[in-house]
Amino acid sequence: MERGQHELTFVLDPAGGVPFYRQIILQVEMAIADGRLRPGTQLPTVRGLAVQLQINPNTVARAYSELEIRGIVTTQQGTGTFISDQEIELSEAERDRVLMRLVQSFLATASGYGFSIGEIIDFLTRVEKEQSHGEASSS
Amino acid sequence: MERGQHELTFVLDPAGGVPFYRQIILQVEMAIADGRLRPGTQLPTVRGLAVQLQINPNTVARAYSELEIRGIVTTQQGTGTFISDQEIELSEAERDRVLMRLVQSFLATASGYGFSIGEIIDFLTRVEKEQSHGEASSS
Amino acid sequence: MERGQHELTFVLDPAGGVPFYRQIILQVEMAIADGRLRPGTQLPTVRGLAVQLQINPNTVARAYSELEIRGIVTTQQGTGTFISDQEIELSEAERDRVLMRLVQSFLATASGYGFSIGEIIDFLTRVEKEQSHGEASSS
Amino acid sequence: MERGQHELTFVLDPAGGVPFYRQIILQVEMAIADGRLRPGTQLPTVRGLAVQLQINPNTVARAYSELEIRGIVTTQQGTGTFISDQEIELSEAERDRVLMRLVQSFLATASGYGFSIGEIIDFLTRVEKEQSHGEASSS
DNA sequence: GTGGTCTAGACCACA
DNA sequence: GTGGTCTAGACCACT
């Protein structure tokens, strides 16, 4: 039985114009979002991932460094890079306000492309199902 | 689930790395595929849209010129830019890819604040209800 | 009459072990903190500052890029780098909590070095005076 | 304004780029200059301090060894590390430089959240009052 | 002209 | 072994 969503393998798409370092960042973020990467987990070493992805170590370092600035990972000189504890403690009210702002800006963008809220909800629901599916089948 | 919007409003997202001119192109294309923009309709003037979006007129001009090269719009010197008769086909997969990109970057941000997909869906559902209420009473 | 604090000139100290890019970041932050740099102001161009400081453009770019990730500056492709509008709107209660956290961690560190709160207040008061002095004398 | 603290507690700041071993060295030096650490006093064991600070024992060892090289502490095999008789002079300017560095990085962060120096001073003054109250009642 | 990305490679600092 | 900094230089994309 494959372990599915629980393994983290980075894949780069040279086409599409999305820069490598941004692809790495996105994949780390998504992996955290759906639970494949948990706080404390060590990321691949800069050099290791560079070899695996066949790219320059600087490019990996850049991705990791941006993740660190955003507080998503923590890096310890000479030790490695780890997923942070992610404690953005916000009060309930504050959380709602933040979510409101995020959603509003997202909806504005999405509706510029002609997507309706209903469509977006459908899409998210599908994504959610896939996620829980992955978790359920891998245990 | 019903699709699309009834008005055409350009929205630029400075983040995400997608260049402005490409965002404009995509939004025009999707609006045509959508039926929000019909053949013969005039697009905003270069200068007008530039002011509205707070960007350099050259950027708008570049988007329009690329749209013209693709045969999607026609420019009439001194008159304006108009949607041509050209059909635009956007497969469901195409649309999904765009939505996927939008949703991914949104989810990445939101999960950084500790919001789960479920939570976001709930929130969106609430927003949707409010909206349909608003529409119902205003029609 | 010299304009004093109102001019922004970057100075790098090769000694001291503080990396160049961090020195640049610090100087931008301090300039914002004491009002020499206001929202909307354009920073020197990457290449321009690199020449002026006699360092590699990449190093300046790195500093700017970190400032952008932190939301302190905004960069527009092909246009330049600008001080952001800095709208971190927080409720009063939230503000207090954030300040409390910042101060606590700062005090913990400072007291590790043997500084008392009184000493720190004295120091800050001196800094504040110098700032208002600068502003007053330059008008 | 009275100076210093009565207890010696090491505090590490992972941010700011100052390596751990150097932070430890500085804190020991300042504690000696301060009178919080007197000749003959035993420092925490390498292993003990490492556990307490949640860092690698090698890092503590490196700090101690550098302190020994400078003649500031003496290591007695199998017994421990002790403060030597060596006087440490820290000029006012020296102290100020350290405080300046601490305050600068703190102000940069705080001003990023929109806090002014005045506000911070007010807050610190309140904290100071509470502390002296606490001390008064507990003595 | 502006900034962005990536490479190659050197050298350093930390654990 | 780990990550961090800096350089030099190429090439691209946007305004």
Side-chain angles (χ1 to χ4, degrees):
Chain A
M1 174 79 62
E2 43 155 2
R3 302 199 57 236
Q5 236 169 358
H6 281 262
E7 224 139 75
L8 182 61
T9 39
F10 290 89
V11 182
L12 293 187
D13 176 13
V18 183
F20 291 162
Y21 83 94
R22 211 181 283 271
Q23 293 186 39
I24 295 173
I25 291 173
L26 254 181
Q27 288 177 39
V28 170
E29 286 178 334
M30 293 305 287
I32 294 176
D34 63 32
R36 278 171 297 158
L37 282 179
R38 307 200 162 282
T41 311
Q42 179 169 9
L43 286 176
T45 66
V46 168
R47 287 165 172 91
L49 188 53
V51 168
Q52 179 194 322
L53 294 177
Q54 305 260 50
I55 60 176
N56 190 297
N58 283 332
T59 306
V60 179
R62 178 173 181 182
Y64 282 11
S65 138
E66 174 155 352
L67 284 167
E68 183 177 23
I69 296 168
R70 295 212 210 145
I72 293 172
V73 307
T74 308
T75 156
Q76 277 296 327
Q77 264 277 24
T79 310
T81 308
F82 304 83
I83 307 295
S84 306
D85 286 341
Q86 305 269 58
E87 43 132 359
I88 307 190
E89 343 130 355
L90 287 176
S91 68
E92 270 312 302
E94 218 66 29
R95 260 176 75 88
D96 260 30
R97 267 185 35 208
V98 170
L99 184 51
M100 172 71 92
R101 240 190 311 168
L102 287 176
V103 165
Q104 268 178 354
S105 123
F106 169 60
L107 282 184
T109 307
S111 79
Y113 290 95
F115 295 109
S116 70
I117 297 194
E119 256 180 306
I120 291 166
I121 294 178
D122 283 356
F123 192 90
L124 283 172
T125 311
R126 255 188 294 156
V127 173
E128 194 191 23
K129 264 185 201 147
E130 280 167 27
Q131 253 187 41
S132 57
H133 204 63
E135 277 175 25
S137 69
S138 74
S139 62
Chain B
M1 200 55 64
E2 111 266 37
R3 252 196 185 192
Q5 293 264 110
H6 306 85
E7 261 163 47
L8 179 64
T9 39
F10 291 93
V11 182
L12 295 186
D13 179 11
V18 184
F20 290 161
Y21 83 95
R22 210 181 286 275
Q23 293 185 39
I24 295 174
I25 292 173
L26 231 196
Q27 289 181 36
V28 170
E29 286 181 340
M30 294 194 67
I32 296 174
D34 240 18
R36 280 174 295 154
L37 280 178
R38 307 198 162 282
T41 313
Q42 179 172 7
L43 284 176
T45 64
V46 167
R47 200 168 289 186
L49 188 52
V51 169
Q52 180 195 322
L53 295 178
Q54 304 259 49
I55 60 176
N56 192 308
N58 288 331
T59 308
V60 179
R62 175 167 183 183
Y64 282 11
S65 105
E66 200 153 314
L67 282 166
E68 186 170 23
I69 292 171
R70 299 200 207 163
I72 292 170
V73 306
T74 313
T75 302
Q76 295 183 10
Q77 268 293 1
T79 315
T81 308
F82 302 85
I83 308 297
S84 31
D85 291 337
Q86 178 102 14
E87 272 279 305
I88 290 197
E89 294 190 19
L90 266 185
S91 66
E92 202 55 38
E94 207 80 39
R95 260 178 78 84
D96 262 30
R97 263 218 337 256
V98 174
L99 185 50
M100 170 72 93
R101 237 193 322 117
L102 289 174
V103 165
Q104 255 187 3
S105 108
F106 169 61
L107 280 186
T109 309
S111 81
Y113 286 93
F115 297 110
S116 69
I117 296 194
E119 213 170 350
I120 291 165
I121 294 178
D122 285 354
F123 194 90
L124 283 172
T125 310
R126 256 189 294 155
V127 173
E128 193 191 22
K129 264 186 202 147
E130 281 169 28
Q131 255 191 25
S132 59
H133 273 288
E135 276 175 24
S137 66
S138 72
S139 63
Chain C
M1 174 76 64
E2 43 153 2
R3 303 199 57 236
Q5 235 169 1
H6 280 263
E7 224 138 75
L8 182 62
T9 39
F10 290 89
V11 183
L12 293 186
D13 176 14
V18 183
F20 290 163
Y21 83 94
R22 210 180 283 270
Q23 293 185 40
I24 295 174
I25 291 173
L26 253 181
Q27 288 178 39
V28 170
E29 285 178 335
M30 293 306 286
I32 294 175
D34 61 32
R36 278 171 298 158
L37 283 179
R38 305 200 164 283
T41 312
Q42 179 169 10
L43 286 176
T45 67
V46 168
R47 286 163 172 91
L49 188 53
V51 168
Q52 180 195 321
L53 295 178
Q54 304 260 50
I55 60 176
N56 191 296
N58 283 332
T59 306
V60 179
R62 177 172 183 182
Y64 283 11
S65 137
E66 174 154 353
L67 284 167
E68 182 177 24
I69 296 169
R70 294 212 210 147
I72 294 172
V73 306
T74 308
T75 155
Q76 276 297 325
Q77 263 277 21
T79 310
T81 308
F82 304 83
I83 306 296
S84 306
D85 287 342
Q86 305 269 58
E87 42 132 1
I88 306 191
E89 343 128 357
L90 286 177
S91 68
E92 270 312 304
E94 218 66 30
R95 261 176 75 88
D96 260 30
R97 267 186 35 208
V98 169
L99 185 51
M100 172 70 93
R101 239 191 310 168
L102 288 175
V103 165
Q104 267 176 357
S105 123
F106 169 61
L107 282 185
T109 307
S111 78
Y113 291 94
F115 296 108
S116 70
I117 297 193
E119 253 180 309
I120 291 167
I121 294 178
D122 284 356
F123 192 89
L124 283 172
T125 310
R126 255 188 294 156
V127 174
E128 194 191 23
K129 265 186 200 146
E130 279 168 29
Q131 253 187 41
S132 56
H133 204 62
E135 276 175 26
S137 69
S138 73
S139 64
Chain D
M1 198 58 62
E2 113 264 35
R3 253 194 184 194
Q5 293 265 108
H6 306 84
E7 259 164 49
L8 180 63
T9 39
F10 291 93
V11 181
L12 295 186
D13 179 10
V18 184
F20 290 162
Y21 82 96
R22 209 181 289 274
Q23 293 185 40
I24 295 173
I25 292 174
L26 232 196
Q27 288 180 36
V28 170
E29 287 180 340
M30 294 194 67
I32 296 174
D34 241 15
R36 280 174 296 154
L37 279 179
R38 308 199 161 282
T41 311
Q42 179 171 8
L43 284 177
T45 65
V46 168
R47 200 168 289 188
L49 189 52
V51 169
Q52 179 195 323
L53 295 178
Q54 303 258 50
I55 61 177
N56 193 308
N58 288 332
T59 308
V60 180
R62 176 167 181 183
Y64 282 11
S65 105
E66 200 153 314
L67 282 166
E68 185 169 24
I69 293 171
R70 299 201 207 160
I72 293 170
V73 306
T74 313
T75 301
Q76 295 183 11
Q77 269 292 3
T79 314
T81 307
F82 302 84
I83 308 296
S84 30
D85 291 336
Q86 177 102 13
E87 272 279 306
I88 290 198
E89 295 190 18
L90 266 186
S91 64
E92 202 56 36
E94 208 79 40
R95 260 177 80 85
D96 261 30
R97 261 217 342 256
V98 173
L99 185 49
M100 169 71 93
R101 237 191 325 115
L102 289 174
V103 165
Q104 256 188 2
S105 109
F106 170 61
L107 280 186
T109 308
S111 81
Y113 284 93
F115 297 110
S116 69
I117 296 194
E119 214 170 351
I120 292 166
I121 294 178
D122 286 354
F123 194 91
L124 283 172
T125 311
R126 256 188 295 155
V127 173
E128 193 191 22
K129 265 185 202 149
E130 279 169 29
Q131 256 191 26
S132 58
H133 272 291
E135 275 174 26
S137 67
S138 72
S139 63

